[in-house]
Amino acid sequence: MSLVQRPRRLRQTPAVRRLVAETRLHPADLVLPLFVVEGLDDARPITAMPGVMQHSLASLAEAAREAEAAGIGGLMLFGVPVHKDAIGSEATNPDGILAAGVRVLAETVPQLPIIADLCLDEFTDHGHCGVLDAEDRVNNDATLPRYQEMAVVLARAGATMVGTSGAMDGQVGVCRTALDQAGFTDTMIMAYAAKYASAFYGPFREAVDSSLQGDRRSYQQDPANAIEAIREVRLDVGEGADIVMVKPGLPYLDILAATAAEVTVPVASYVVSGEYSMIEAAAANGWISRRPTILEALTCVKRAGASIIVTYWATEVAGWLKEN
Ligand code: PBG
């Protein structure tokens, strides 16, 4: 047999495979999402996300220290208030739980980028990402001033970056203006540029004690569509997004790759709660091997174009990568 082309030559030993690997995960690529809940004395497990906690302010600091020691690239913070109302008042309370959590992170791990979630859904009693009109539809333009106020509150609390995850038209631009006018010209915006109305967010609802009835299909994107994702990404970059995100992760690698080809800003991918829980559940049942599956999932997200990966496994995976 005379075969000139033998692709297997490049796969023959671990050392050769290591030499020719095109994609390498690094702890600095990874961002850990954290949940801080008002009124908790101790961390409380999230049933639908085994291994992930709702944090008190004290346990939040502990988790942040651990994450920093593991060498991860940044933290993302979601806040859950006790009091929810129609306009999400607690979202703009400078002493509210999210601002308080941001302050704790900024004090505990001052070197780490802190991305504060900029959305109302954890704060509204109806669970939507904006305020409602008389017919209970999410009112885009009435929501924007709420986001502007929230952006400034979070920046003042010490957020390095705000994560505009509300999927309202124009939110990146109005938040950029509000931040600049308040003197926060260096506060970055991570735009949830291509954000789909996904069933994979299911477990997150428990993580933030969501009161949502119905769905977000009038503001988040239809999973059937790819073209509008590029439109959304272009709009956000034009409005001043410093980083653009595609969300969820694994089911949307085509969108991620197209986004990476389109923009000249860093691209992030959010491997969301349902993706986490599916792998954890299958691994807990012995149906798949946990560690290789997690590493493969994150490597594939990076290969598809993400230089930043938001994942609930961030600290643990960073630890594995350090061992190697
Ligand atoms: C909205 C938001 C959601 C997630 C992150 N930010 C929920 C939603 O859009 O319905 C989901 C993240 C996950 O599932 O891990 N603030």
Side-chain angles (χ1 to χ4, degrees):
M1 194 51 102
S2 131
L3 279 176
V4 175
Q5 294 293 340
R6 288 185 182 272
R8 286 188 53 191
R9 277 192 209 109
L10 292 176
R11 301 176 197 143
Q12 58 188 296
T13 64
V16 172
R17 293 195 292 272
R18 180 168 174 267
L19 177 70
V20 301
E22 297 170 33
T23 308
R24 252 180 263 280
L25 286 177
H26 190 278
D29 305 331
L30 307 174
V31 168
L32 177 70
L34 291 163
F35 303 100
V36 64
V37 179
E38 187 176 0
L40 282 191
D41 292 328
D42 265 317
R44 179 167 73 191
I46 300 165
T47 313
M49 300 176 72
V52 180
M53 304 298 234
Q54 289 186 324
H55 284 290
S56 65
L57 286 168
S59 72
L60 177 72
E62 197 46 49
R65 267 187 224 107
E66 244 179 72
E68 185 184 47
I72 72 162
L75 299 172
M76 174 178 275
L77 186 63
F78 297 93
V80 184
V82 167
H83 174 71
K84 304 191 183 205
D85 62 21
I87 62 164
S89 301
E90 282 299 302
T92 46
N93 177 356
D95 298 313
I97 186 62
L98 182 54
V102 168
R103 273 194 295 275
V104 164
L105 294 181
E107 278 162 27
T108 311
V109 288
Q111 311 302 329
L112 267 192
I114 297 159
I115 307 153
D117 187 56
L118 204 171
C119 190
L120 293 177
D121 67 315
E122 293 91 9
F123 300 92
T124 53
D125 52 10
H126 45 73
H128 277 295
C129 300
V131 300
L132 306 182
D133 67 14
E135 273 85 52
D136 282 351
R137 290 172 308 202
V138 176
N139 185 330
N140 194 85
D141 296 13
T143 300
L144 296 180
R146 300 288 301 129
Y147 287 165
Q148 289 185 298
E149 198 183 335
M150 192 175 178
V152 174
V153 166
L154 296 174
R156 198 161 277 143
T160 323
M161 210 179 296
V162 290
T164 50
S165 70
M168 293 301 122
D169 292 339
Q171 64 175 338
V172 171
V174 300
C175 288
R176 182 72 272 156
T177 303
L179 287 168
D180 290 351
Q181 280 173 356
F184 295 106
T185 51
D186 285 339
T187 305
M188 291 165 268
I189 296 180
M190 176 183 272
Y192 285 57
K195 181 172 184 184
Y196 285 86
S198 174
F200 288 99
Y201 306 151
F204 181 90
R205 300 276 148 82
E206 181 196 339
V208 299
D209 301 336
S210 173
S211 29
L212 181 71
Q213 306 284 327
D215 59 56
R216 306 196 195 289
R217 289 179 177 273
S218 79
Y219 43 106
Q220 298 179 349
Q221 291 172 60
D222 185 340
N225 296 349
I227 295 167
E228 67 175 334
I230 299 305
R231 182 183 189 195
E232 290 278 11
V233 165
R234 283 183 187 154
L235 283 170
D236 282 0
V237 170
E239 290 173 28
D242 298 288
I243 297 172
V244 292
M245 188 201 282
V246 174
K247 180 181 172 211
L250 283 182
Y252 295 85
L253 295 187
D254 57 334
I255 309 298
L256 181 60
T259 299
E262 173 71 26
V263 301
T264 52
V265 295
V267 177
S269 165
Y270 195 145
V271 177
V272 301
S273 58
E275 300 178 74
Y276 174 90
S277 300
M278 285 194 304
I279 290 178
E280 289 294 340
N285 276 289
W287 297 335
I288 53 173
S289 178
R290 184 174 180 272
R291 182 160 161 168
T293 308
I294 293 169
L295 287 170
E296 180 178 336
L298 300 186
T299 301
C300 292
V301 167
K302 186 164 183 187
R303 186 203 64 226
S307 58
I308 299 168
I309 306 171
V310 182
T311 167
Y312 300 99
W313 290 299
T315 302
E316 187 178 9
V317 169
W320 297 343
L321 297 172
K322 270 182 146 180
E323 284 168 23
N324 293 342

